[in-house]
Amino acid sequence: MDREKARERIARLRAEIRHHDFLYYVRDAPEISDAAYDKLYRELVSLEEQFPDLVEPDSPTQRVAGQPLTSFPTVEHAAPMLSLDSDASEASLRRFDERLRKALPDVEVEYVLEPKLDGASVELVYEDGVLARASTRGDGRRGEGITENVRTIQAVPLRLRTEAPHPVPPFLSLRGEAIMHASVFDKLNERLIAEGKEPFANPRNVAAGALRQLDPQQTASKPLDLFAYDVLSAGESAQIPGIETQWEVLQALKEWGLRVSSLVRKVKTLEEILEYHQDLEARRDDLGFEIDGIVIKLNDLAARDRVGWTSRHPRWAFAFKFPPRKEITRILSIVPSVGRSGVVTPVALMLPVELGGVTVSRATLHNREEVARKDVREGDRVRIQRAGDVIPQVVERIVEPEREAEREKEPRWQMPATCPSCGTPLIERGPFTICPNGFECPAQLVGRIVHLASRDALDIEGLGDETAKLFVNEGLVRQLPDVFDLRAEQLVHLEGFAEKSSKKLEEALRKASKVELPRLLHGLGIPEVGVAVARDLSRHFGTFERIRTADAAALQEVAGVGPRMAEAITTFFRDEKNAPILDELLKRLDVQEQSAAPPASVLPLSGKKFVFTGGLAQMSRRDAQNLVESLGAKATGSVSKSTDYVVVGEDAGSKADDARTLGVTTLDEEGFLDLLRSLGAAV
């Protein structure tokens, strides 16, 4: 084939391939088989290899090209890429709708609803219809230039289609979301596990990481998709001539060859928004990609300009998030874990998965009876959730019909007969399995060290789980009091320590040895004694010795201490193994004891309930809570009709609105301080 015929054939092949890309990625209606498409593509590659001078940057063959970069250039966005105001509360959605309708009394409000894709936001800039550059969102004003990486995404056209009803502007800046489909993500993780490598936590992290690979070949090895959903700039104007609504924007993006979600809807009422939100939440596991809510946008572009923007987000859009979800993952193994109280808990080690914004790879199975009831075994696919939105737990096993026959041949998980940490025979107390070895058990000792060093106890910076394990394993700490005998010269040779960090920890231990009585009580890990009970015991008895020697009847004189709690406290202090350890610990500590407080009933804020929301300038929220509790009040986390005061600081959340709805008294910081001063409190 001569050069001129090759030029004509190459042009026809490029046009035909772009047409089929449009049908496949945008219309979801391919006309030819994959084999036929591959044949066209291979012919184009062959001709371009024969005539390299005919290769053009926007050719379908040029998606992976160039040498790896040494760094990413900084790119100024054509227009700010703002974040969205978001909440999972229906009340917040209603306030958004009310504000918008109030601001636009002469406009028939109409919304466009879109799925809130959970990926990586990017800017695409087209000049004369050709992809000129792409960048990450960055700080919203500037991002990293990732043009070569974005070119590897098949759903991103290198040249826009010109046969659309609306002409493509000479300059066009678009916003889209790069995602990884669940099926691709699962296959990628399966391959990593087979290779003995750490699997990825979630598709969003993979997408963001793939876009920031210095080598485009690495990006191409993690296939991404991209949905376009907004026009940032059309040159001198933010709007495209002839396009007046968001709905028309989305239709134009599709006609130009960009992929737009098929889940978009137009609605006019709040009820329709709630129905759409409920429908997508019910379907989210079947979509094949991650979404974490819906996005509501005012459809009328001119009305958007009237409503305007804040410095952080547009006033005409709102992200209505889904509540934290249950996730599905697979159990790799089940191991017994010994806690600081001696309870041995079955723990599922799993493929990492994101749950409520946190990546988890461990979940509790509670106790041996729970494992048997749920019939959970290693290798099972399971659904997990966060209990109280804190501790991950296995909810149920997901039946896999193709695996059931083989699974029945596998042994059920059994709790070991002896403690996996110290070898002591385990005992059973109801559904729970206990190691009775107390402070002598290394695992329990590690747990007690970590708890003693925690923020609400002695608050020893640098003494966490890994460090505590290191000290116990190295034999530096054989009993809890040994922690306060550690010196920098003993630590400097340990893994992870240097001269500076060794001295820093020694100094932190020295400062922590002067401790307030409530913090020490909480730090000892006495069963049933949390922060509030430790504080109440300290106020009532005043000294450690009086608490230590109090009988059950005396303990029950403290508000909130019942028979069960009193028994747990007296049992702890009268345990023969605990007594010498407590004696040694007290020799190393300077306990700041206090005079016994008057009964709560005579304190100035007795019976009052406070809720704090937002940040305070003159003290931390924790200090403010402690202050009102020292005056007899109770600080709670949620607003109800029984709440007496809601203290509203900067960037307050929905609790302030809840207080106004319920008619609860609200105080700003100065009003709160005035109240305290009127009661004679030192502030």
Side-chain angles (χ1 to χ4, degrees):
M1 185 180 294
D2 63 29
R3 190 172 184 282
E4 200 54 41
K5 287 184 178 179
R7 183 195 300 275
E8 294 174 2
R9 180 58 180 162
I10 285 172
R12 285 198 300 273
L13 285 169
R14 287 173 181 164
E16 194 170 352
I17 290 171
R18 290 186 186 117
H19 171 69
H20 290 302
D21 282 344
F22 173 70
L23 293 177
Y24 185 88
Y25 292 107
V26 179
R27 297 290 192 198
D28 286 323
E31 289 180 343
I32 62 174
S33 66
D34 290 348
Y37 179 92
D38 291 342
K39 185 177 179 181
L40 295 173
Y41 190 86
R42 284 195 299 269
E43 183 182 355
L44 178 58
V45 170
S46 176
L47 287 173
E48 289 184 344
E49 287 176 347
Q50 292 178 53
F51 301 94
D53 59 311
L54 298 181
V55 177
E56 296 179 359
D58 63 337
S59 172
T61 64
Q62 300 304 296
R63 289 195 175 274
V64 181
Q67 296 298 313
L69 301 172
T70 56
S71 63
F72 293 111
T74 299
V75 174
E76 189 95 19
H77 296 313
M81 296 177 70
L82 301 179
S83 59
L84 292 177
D85 188 16
S86 65
D87 204 319
S89 161
E90 185 179 323
S92 296
L93 170 66
R94 291 185 181 277
R95 287 193 294 272
F96 162 76
D97 179 62
E98 290 168 2
R99 285 196 301 266
L100 212 53
R101 293 182 188 277
K102 187 175 180 180
L104 300 168
D106 56 336
V107 174
E108 184 181 0
V109 172
E110 184 177 56
Y111 296 113
V112 171
L113 309 182
E114 306 167 12
K116 187 176 182 301
L117 299 165
D118 194 12
S121 188
V122 299
E123 178 191 29
L124 306 176
V125 173
Y126 287 88
E127 295 178 358
D128 297 322
V130 177
L131 181 65
R133 67 176 183 270
S135 57
T136 63
R137 179 175 178 270
D139 63 4
R141 307 282 173 175
R142 302 174 190 80
E144 293 176 309
I146 53 169
T147 308
E148 294 306 312
N149 292 344
V150 168
R151 289 171 66 90
T152 71
I153 303 175
Q154 293 287 336
V156 176
L158 302 182
R159 177 183 287 276
L160 298 179
R161 300 173 76 247
T162 56
E163 17 337 349
H166 291 94
V168 178
F171 179 91
L172 183 65
S173 167
L174 308 174
R175 184 167 180 174
E177 197 86 358
I179 66 166
M180 175 170 279
H181 287 273
S183 59
V184 178
F185 175 73
D186 289 342
K187 288 179 182 177
L188 175 62
N189 265 354
E190 287 172 8
R191 176 169 59 80
L192 290 173
I193 292 169
E195 295 172 356
K197 298 178 181 177
E198 188 74 17
F200 288 104
N202 54 66
R204 183 186 67 245
N205 288 359
V206 184
L211 289 175
R212 299 190 68 258
Q213 294 288 328
L214 292 171
D215 184 353
Q217 297 282 353
Q218 291 295 318
T219 304
S221 71
K222 301 177 178 68
L224 302 180
D225 200 351
L226 186 138
F227 288 92
Y229 55 81
D230 216 348
V231 171
L232 292 171
S233 173
E236 295 182 2
S237 171
Q239 297 181 14
I240 301 165
I243 293 181
E244 298 179 349
T245 67
Q246 173 68 12
W247 191 257
E248 292 173 352
V249 166
L250 296 176
Q251 303 314 305
L253 292 176
K254 282 198 289 187
E255 293 303 325
W256 291 335
L258 292 141
R259 188 161 195 173
V260 172
S261 173
S262 61
L263 300 171
V264 296
R265 297 286 184 274
K266 265 193 302 186
V267 303
K268 292 185 177 180
T269 68
L270 192 66
E271 288 66 32
E272 289 175 298
I273 295 175
L274 293 171
E275 288 176 8
Y276 179 84
H277 181 270
Q278 185 177 6
D279 176 57
L280 276 198
E281 184 180 4
R283 297 167 54 195
R284 66 189 295 196
D285 287 335
D286 302 321
L287 296 178
F289 51 84
E290 290 294 320
I291 64 173
D292 58 359
I294 67 171
V295 177
I296 302 115
K297 295 177 181 175
L298 185 63
N299 193 25
D300 189 322
L301 301 183
R304 287 185 183 183
D305 289 339
R306 287 173 55 186
V307 176
W309 295 258
T310 71
S311 60
R312 297 181 179 179
H313 55 77
R315 292 191 175 94
W316 42 262
F318 182 77
F320 188 19
K321 304 288 286 292
F322 294 142
R325 65 182 292 178
K326 298 174 182 177
E327 283 289 354
I328 295 173
T329 185
R330 192 173 296 281
I331 294 178
L332 300 176
S333 62
I334 300 174
V335 298
S337 176
V338 185
R340 62 179 169 85
S341 64
V343 176
V344 183
T345 303
V347 174
L349 305 183
M350 313 167 300
L351 284 176
V353 64
E354 187 172 21
L355 190 62
V358 177
T359 300
V360 299
S361 58
R362 298 165 63 93
T364 180
L365 285 160
H366 299 293
N367 55 63
R368 65 182 187 282
E369 291 187 4
E370 188 78 355
V371 177
R373 185 181 68 79
K374 293 177 178 175
D375 189 20
V376 176
R377 308 183 196 180
E378 295 180 345
D380 281 348
R381 200 159 180 252
V382 294
R383 194 182 310 276
I384 63 171
Q385 69 179 12
R386 295 178 73 187
D389 216 26
V390 178
I391 304 169
Q393 65 179 12
V394 174
V395 178
E396 61 184 350
R397 175 175 76 90
I398 296 174
V399 176
E400 299 174 276
E402 70 280 3
R403 185 175 173 268
E404 288 304 295
E406 189 64 31
R407 181 179 181 275
E408 286 304 315
K409 300 176 186 177
E410 299 170 359
R412 297 173 182 265
W413 187 83
Q414 297 290 328
M415 185 70 76
T418 59
C419 175
S421 178
C422 66
T424 301
L426 299 176
I427 60 176
E428 295 182 359
R429 291 179 187 163
F432 300 105
T433 306
I434 310 291
C435 171
N437 203 16
F439 283 95
E440 303 294 326
C441 175
Q444 293 184 58
L445 177 57
V446 168
R448 291 181 184 277
I449 293 170
V450 173
H451 185 67
L452 186 69
S454 63
R455 183 176 178 181
D456 288 325
L458 272 63
D459 195 15
I460 306 172
E461 186 178 354
L463 186 48
D465 187 64
E466 293 303 317
T467 304
K469 287 179 182 176
L470 180 64
F471 292 163
V472 173
N473 291 340
E474 292 290 330
L476 294 176
V477 176
R478 299 181 184 278
Q479 293 289 357
L480 196 60
D482 296 344
V483 170
F484 295 94
D485 295 334
L486 293 171
R487 296 294 177 262
E489 54 268 23
Q490 296 173 281
L491 309 179
V492 71
H493 303 297
L494 297 177
E495 183 179 353
F497 278 89
E499 185 176 350
K500 185 175 181 181
S501 55
S502 299
K503 289 181 178 178
K504 188 175 180 181
L505 181 56
E506 182 181 347
E507 177 62 18
L509 289 167
R510 187 190 64 78
K511 288 183 179 179
S513 64
K514 185 175 182 179
V515 57
E516 297 167 355
L517 178 57
R519 286 180 171 270
L520 173 60
L521 282 178
H522 174 61
L524 290 177
I526 305 168
E528 307 286 342
V529 177
V531 174
V533 174
R535 184 175 55 245
D536 292 342
L537 288 171
S538 299
R539 288 178 185 155
H540 183 86
F541 289 101
T543 70
F544 186 84
E545 191 59 28
R546 289 184 64 195
I547 297 170
R548 184 179 185 177
T549 57
D551 59 21
L555 289 169
Q556 289 180 65
E557 292 177 7
V558 179
V561 177
R564 177 180 170 181
M565 188 182 294
E567 182 183 358
I569 295 170
T570 56
T571 299
F572 175 85
F573 282 120
R574 291 172 188 175
D575 188 315
E576 293 181 357
K577 290 184 178 180
N578 292 347
I581 293 171
L582 293 175
D583 290 339
E584 288 299 317
L585 187 61
L586 290 172
K587 290 177 183 177
R588 292 161 172 80
L589 299 177
D590 178 9
V591 181
Q592 305 298 294
E593 298 179 330
Q594 56 194 68
S595 301
S601 58
V602 303
L603 292 172
L605 290 177
S606 174
K608 301 295 184 183
K609 291 183 181 179
F610 280 73
V611 172
F612 294 84
T613 178
L616 302 177
Q618 298 193 39
M619 67 182 76
S620 69
R621 267 169 52 175
R622 183 180 296 274
D623 288 341
Q625 291 168 346
N626 290 340
L627 190 51
V628 297
E629 287 179 342
S630 71
L631 296 171
K634 184 176 182 180
T636 65
S638 58
V639 182
S640 68
K641 290 182 178 179
S642 65
T643 304
D644 294 287
Y645 297 101
V646 174
V647 180
V648 181
E650 294 183 6
D651 297 323
S654 59
K655 293 174 185 176
D657 296 322
D658 294 341
R660 297 183 189 103
T661 301
L662 294 171
V664 175
T665 302
T666 60
L667 301 172
D668 60 14
E669 184 170 2
E670 195 53 44
F672 172 60
L673 295 175
D674 286 344
L675 173 65
L676 295 178
R677 293 186 189 103
S678 71
L679 300 173
V683 293

